[in-house]
Amino acid sequence: MIKSKYTWDVKSPENEITEDVSLDLKLTPIVKKILESKEITDKAAIDQLLKNKQVMHDAWLMSDMEKAIERINLAIDQNQKILVYGDYDADGVTSTTILVETLKALGAHVGWYIPNRFSEGYGPNEMAFKNAHEEGISLIITVDNGIQGHDEIQMIQDLGVDVIVTDHHEIGRTMPSAFAIVHPMHPEFDYPFKYLCGAGVAYKLAQNLLDEPPAYFLGLVAIGTVADLVSLTDENRALVQKGLEILNDHCPASIKAILKQAGYNDVITEETIGFIIGPRLNAVGRLEDAALAAELLMTDNDEEAEFLAEQVEFFNQERKDIVAQITEEALAAAEDQVKQGTKFLLLAQADWHEGVLGIVASKIVETYSLPTLILNIDEAQDHAKGSARSIEQVSMFEILNAHSDLISKFGGHHMAAGITMPIENIESLRQGLNDWMAQLASTTSLEPRKKVDVKVAETDITIKNIQDIQRLRPFGTDFSSPCFELEGVIVNQAKAIGQDKKHLKMVLGDSQLQAIFWQNGHLVKELGEQQPINVIGTLQINEWNGFQSPQFMIQDLASNNLQILDYRSKSKVSGFEQDSSNVAYLIHNKSEKLDDNYYYYGDTIDQSYDKYVFRDLPPSIQAIKTTLKTVDVSQIYLVLNHERSIYFEGMPKMETFKKCFKALATKKETDLAKEGMQLCQFLNIQPSMLKFILKVFLDLEFIKDENGIIKMNSVSTKREIESSKYYQGRLDRIEVEKVLLYDDFANLKKWIKTELVDK
C-alpha cells in the first residue's frame, strides 16, 4: 500500500448542466463535468466563460475614487511633485509602472520609489516619506501597499503631504488617515469585485485618469494578477484574458527581453507568467533593489530592455541557488519540529536571506501541509524578519493579527504574510501560534486535502479532450486547472529522472500514458511493474519533435493493494534507514539486531509497520511463514541478501555419503590440508560439498576433527544421514532458494499473498 499525502475530495456537483444547454453550447462530456464541479451550470455564465465575455466593472465605483482623481488632477494642474510609492514584488513593480506611465502621459511632475526589502521593509517607511517631504513632494500615491501604514501616513499627512493609498491587501481593524483610500474591499463602498491585485487597482485609477489607457497596461495587470495569486474569477479573469491577448499580439519590449533571456519562445499563457515572468520580476527585489525590475518594465527601447533583462536573469539564477541552500536547512529544522507534534512551523535562523524566505516557506508548506513562518534573525538590527505561508484552513492574516502584540509589523492576506518582530518574542510567538492551532484543531480538521474535479477513465485522456479543456483557461486561484482522478491504472514502467533523481516518470495503462510526479523520485522504490495505482493530477499535451501525446501531471498517488517489491537482484536497498516511514527489517542473524525494528525470522512482531524489508534470506520456509502470519503488512520489500547460493549445487547423493564414509574408514586418519583435494577428486565433488558432508558426519558423531585431522569415531551409534541438523538445514536452504530466489516473481507474489490470507 502507498498512502496518499492528501485526502482526496471528489466533488459531487449540486447542480447539473441541462442537456439542451450542453447541446446548445457544444459542451463535450469532460468539459461539462468540469463546469459542474466548479458549480458553473447557468447558460449565461458558461457562455460568458467560454467566449471570454467577463465584464470589467465601473472604476468609479471604487472607494474614494473621485477624491483621488480630483487630488491627482489638482497636483498636475499646479505642477506639484508626485511620488508613486511602490512595492518590490511583481505586483508592486507592475503597479508602479502603470501609475507612473499614466501620470507621465498626463504631463505630471512624477517620480517613483520602491523601498528596499532589507533596509526599509514592506509598505510605507517613515524615513522614505520624510525624504520625500524634504524634496518637495506634495502628493504620495502608494501602489500595492499602504493599508497598514497608519503611523507613517499620519506623520507625513501632519507635515502637509497628502497620501492616496491604492492597495488590495487585507484591511485591519482601522484604516490609515490618508487623504483617500482606493481599495476594492473598503467597507464603506460596494465595489462589485473585492479581489483585485495591486496592478488591478492601479489600472482602475488609470482608467479614470486617461481617456484610453495604453493596451500594454492590461499585459502588466495580467502579470501582477497571476504572480500575486489573487482570485482568478470575475473581473480578474477578464483582466488576465485581455492581458494575455495583448502580451501575445503586441508584447512589450521588456517582456520580450525577459522571455528571450529565459529561452522561451512559445505562446504566453498564465503558466508563462507564473513560472517564468513573475519569478524573474520577483527575483530582483528578493536579492537587491527592485528598481531594476521597474526600470525594465518602463523602457520601450529594445536594446535597453535586453541589457536590463540580462541583469534580471542573473538575479533569478542567484535566487535559485540561495533558495536551494536555505530550503535544505529549513526542511531539516521543520522535520525536527514535526516529530515533536508542532502544528505551526516557526523556523528562525541567522544568515537566512530574507528575500527568498517566502519561497522557502511555500516549499515547507508543500512538504508538511502545515502553516509556516520563516524568519531571519538579524542581531545587528535587533529584529527577526521573514515570510509566512498558510494552508487553506488557516488565515495567516487572522492568526498573526491575533498575536500582533508580539509583532512589530506585518501585512498580508489569508495565504501569505510578511513580518518583522523582536528576536526575544520568537519563542512566545511560536507557543502562541501553536496554542491557537491546537484550539482550531479541536473544531476543524487540519488534514491536508486536494479537491478532485472529475473522475476519468483512461480512454477519456485524449488530445482532443485536453484541447477542449484548454477552452476554460486561464486557470489560477479559485479557478484552478481541473484535477482528475484515474483509478486502478497499471504501472508499466517507473523510473527516477532529473538531477539527483528527484522526479518520478511513469508509463501507465493500456494507452502507455506518460506521467510525471515532480519531487517524488523516491517513490520509484515503492512501485512495482504491473501494480495498480490511483493518481490525481492535471492533464497537458506533451510535444516532442512535432509529435503530441497526452501527459498526466501527478499531484498525488496511492495504492490500496498489498505491494510486494522485487529487490532480489540488487546488492542492497539504500534509503530505508533514512526513510521517515515505519520500517521493520527481517534478518537472519540475531547478532546483527541493530534496533527495536529489527526482527529475526520467526519472531512475533507485535507492532504495525508501514514497510517490511525482508533483508536477509530466511533459514527456512517455515520461518518466513511464521513471520508472515504475525505481520499487518502493506508493503514488502524482498531483498533477501545471502553470501552464496547452494540451490544449483543441490544435495549430495546417498552413494556419495557412503563412498566418503568408506574412504575415511579405510584410512583411519585423513589430513584435510594434504589429502582434501585428492578426496574431492575421488568423490567427484567440490571442496564446499566435502565440507558439508564432513559437517554431517561430525554432527552424527561418525568422525572427529582434531585440528584438520579427520579420525573415525571408534564408538558411534548407527544413525540415518537424514537425521543430521545440517542435512535438514541444507534441505531447508534449497527449498528457501527454490521458492524465494529462483521461482518466477509472479508465483512468489502469489505464494506470499496466500500465506498472508491464510494467517
Side-chain angles (χ1 to χ4, degrees), residues 609-632:
Y609 292 90
D610 292 336
K611 301 178 176 72
Y612 292 81
V613 180
F614 287 31
R615 196 197 72 175
D616 302 335
L617 202 64
S620 69
I621 289 296
Q622 186 56 50
I624 194 171
K625 282 184 175 183
T626 302
T627 295
L628 290 171
K629 284 177 170 43
T630 65
V631 299
D632 180 16

Side-chain angles (χ1 to χ4, degrees), residues 316-603:
N316 186 56
Q317 293 300 323
E318 185 179 359
R319 184 265 306 169
K320 288 181 180 179
D321 294 339
I322 295 171
V323 166
Q325 178 188 341
I326 298 177
T327 299
E328 183 178 350
E329 296 170 359
L331 281 170
E335 185 175 355
D336 291 340
Q337 291 192 21
V338 169
K339 287 178 179 177
Q340 296 167 16
T342 301
K343 296 302 180 186
F344 191 112
L345 299 173
L346 194 164
L347 311 173
Q349 184 172 308
D351 299 322
W352 276 353
H353 200 298
E354 293 169 12
V356 302
L357 296 186
I359 300 174
V360 177
S362 294
K363 291 180 181 293
I364 302 299
V365 172
E366 287 174 13
T367 303
Y368 292 107
S369 299
L370 293 172
T372 301
L373 170 60
I374 302 189
L375 298 170
N376 173 56
I377 297 175
D378 190 335
E379 298 284 357
Q381 298 290 327
D382 194 29
H383 68 214
K385 190 175 176 184
S387 296
R389 296 293 183 268
S390 195
I391 58 177
E392 199 171 297
Q393 301 96 316
V394 179
S395 168
M396 188 58 71
F397 182 84
E398 182 182 345
I399 191 172
L400 292 179
N401 199 45
H403 298 85
S404 57
D405 57 316
L406 298 172
I407 299 169
S408 305
K409 189 176 182 180
F410 84 95
H413 44 79
H414 185 93
M415 296 300 290
I419 180 174
T420 302
M421 66 177 296
I423 297 172
E424 61 267 21
N425 288 353
I426 290 176
E427 287 307 316
S428 297
L429 181 61
R430 178 182 282 117
Q431 186 62 51
L433 295 173
N434 274 281
D435 289 346
W436 197 94
M437 290 292 293
Q439 186 174 352
L440 177 66
S442 66
T443 58
T444 304
S445 172
L446 300 179
E447 192 175 66
R449 313 186 79 86
K450 280 280 187 185
K451 292 179 181 177
V452 178
D453 292 281
V454 179
K455 284 188 175 183
V456 292
E458 193 180 339
T459 52
D460 293 325
I461 303 176
T462 64
I463 296 291
K464 173 66 169 59
N465 275 343
I466 298 173
Q467 289 171 338
D468 286 338
I469 294 167
Q470 305 308 310
R471 297 172 63 198
L472 303 177
R473 297 181 79 161
F475 298 120
T477 304
D478 295 333
F479 194 81
S480 58
S481 181
C483 181
F484 300 98
E485 180 179 357
L486 183 59
E487 290 184 327
V489 64
I490 298 298
V491 177
N492 297 321
Q493 184 183 23
K495 62 180 179 179
I497 62 169
Q499 188 176 9
D500 300 325
K501 305 295 183 183
K502 286 184 178 179
H503 312 302
L504 178 67
K505 183 175 183 179
M506 292 187 290
V507 179
L508 304 175
D510 296 334
S511 64
Q512 303 297 305
L513 175 65
Q514 301 289 318
I516 300 288
F517 197 3
W518 301 120
Q519 305 300 325
N520 280 271
H522 63 279
L523 287 176
V524 72
K525 69 177 183 283
E526 301 186 32
L527 292 163
E529 290 187 7
Q530 301 307 303
Q531 172 186 336
I533 60 172
N534 303 333
V535 292
I536 62 169
T538 59
L539 298 174
Q540 68 177 29
I541 296 173
N542 181 43
E543 295 195 26
W544 179 255
N545 289 336
F547 177 74
Q548 292 185 329
S549 61
Q551 187 163 260
F552 201 105
M553 307 307 294
I554 298 174
Q555 296 176 349
D556 199 10
L557 65 77
S559 173
N560 298 323
N561 298 75
L562 165 66
Q563 292 176 278
I564 303 173
L565 303 171
D566 188 4
Y567 281 84
R568 295 174 299 171
S569 62
K570 315 286 192 300
S571 59
K572 63 179 180 178
V573 179
S574 62
F576 287 109
E577 285 79 0
Q578 291 76 41
D579 200 307
S580 58
S581 303
N582 271 336
V583 183
Y585 295 89
L586 279 301
I587 61 174
H588 181 86
N589 191 337
K590 285 186 177 180
S591 65
E592 294 183 26
K593 189 170 168 58
L594 303 177
D595 211 332
D596 290 340
N597 61 326
Y598 281 72
Y599 297 89
Y600 181 67
Y601 286 102
D603 284 350

Side-chain angles (χ1 to χ4, degrees), residues 276-337:
I276 298 177
I277 301 172
R280 282 163 173 78
L281 292 176
N282 279 324
V284 184
R286 291 188 185 282
L287 301 186
E288 292 288 343
D289 189 338
L292 171 64
E295 288 172 7
L296 171 58
L297 292 179
M298 290 181 194
T299 186
D300 58 3
N301 180 278
D302 290 341
E303 289 187 8
E304 184 181 8
E306 287 193 17
F307 173 73
L308 295 172
E310 187 175 346
Q311 296 177 62
V312 168
E313 184 66 24
F314 170 80
F315 282 117
N316 186 56
Q317 293 300 323
E318 185 179 359
R319 184 265 306 169
K320 288 181 180 179
D321 294 339
I322 295 171
V323 166
Q325 178 188 341
I326 298 177
T327 299
E328 183 178 350
E329 296 170 359
L331 281 170
E335 185 175 355
D336 291 340
Q337 291 192 21

Side-chain angles (χ1 to χ4, degrees), residues 629-685:
K629 284 177 170 43
T630 65
V631 299
D632 180 16
V633 67
S634 60
Q635 289 183 330
I636 293 176
Y637 293 79
L638 297 175
V639 183
L640 305 178
N641 287 332
H642 55 283
E643 289 184 8
R644 55 184 289 267
S645 172
I646 65 169
Y647 176 72
F648 294 106
E649 294 178 10
M651 182 68 78
K653 295 178 181 179
M654 200 54 62
E655 290 87 354
T656 305
F657 279 102
K658 293 177 180 178
K659 191 175 181 180
C660 182
F661 182 86
K662 187 175 181 179
L664 295 173
T666 300
K667 290 204 66 181
K668 304 294 184 183
E669 291 186 3
T670 303
D671 187 341
L672 284 180
K674 296 179 180 178
E675 303 172 85
M677 285 304 299
Q678 187 177 0
L679 182 57
C680 286
Q681 291 171 1
F682 172 71
L683 298 173
N684 193 26
I685 58 175

Side-chain angles (χ1 to χ4, degrees), residues 115-127:
N116 185 285
R117 179 192 292 264
F118 311 105
S119 59
E120 297 170 285
Y122 170 77
N125 177 270
E126 182 176 341
M127 186 58 66

Side-chain angles (χ1 to χ4, degrees), residues 705-729:
D705 184 351
E706 297 178 355
N707 297 319
I709 305 298
I710 302 300
K711 297 180 180 180
M712 299 302 296
N713 198 338
S714 58
V715 180
S716 64
T717 304
K718 184 177 181 182
R719 300 168 66 185
E720 299 295 330
I721 295 293
E722 293 91 337
S723 67
S724 167
K725 64 181 180 182
Y726 292 109
Y727 188 95
Q728 291 301 319

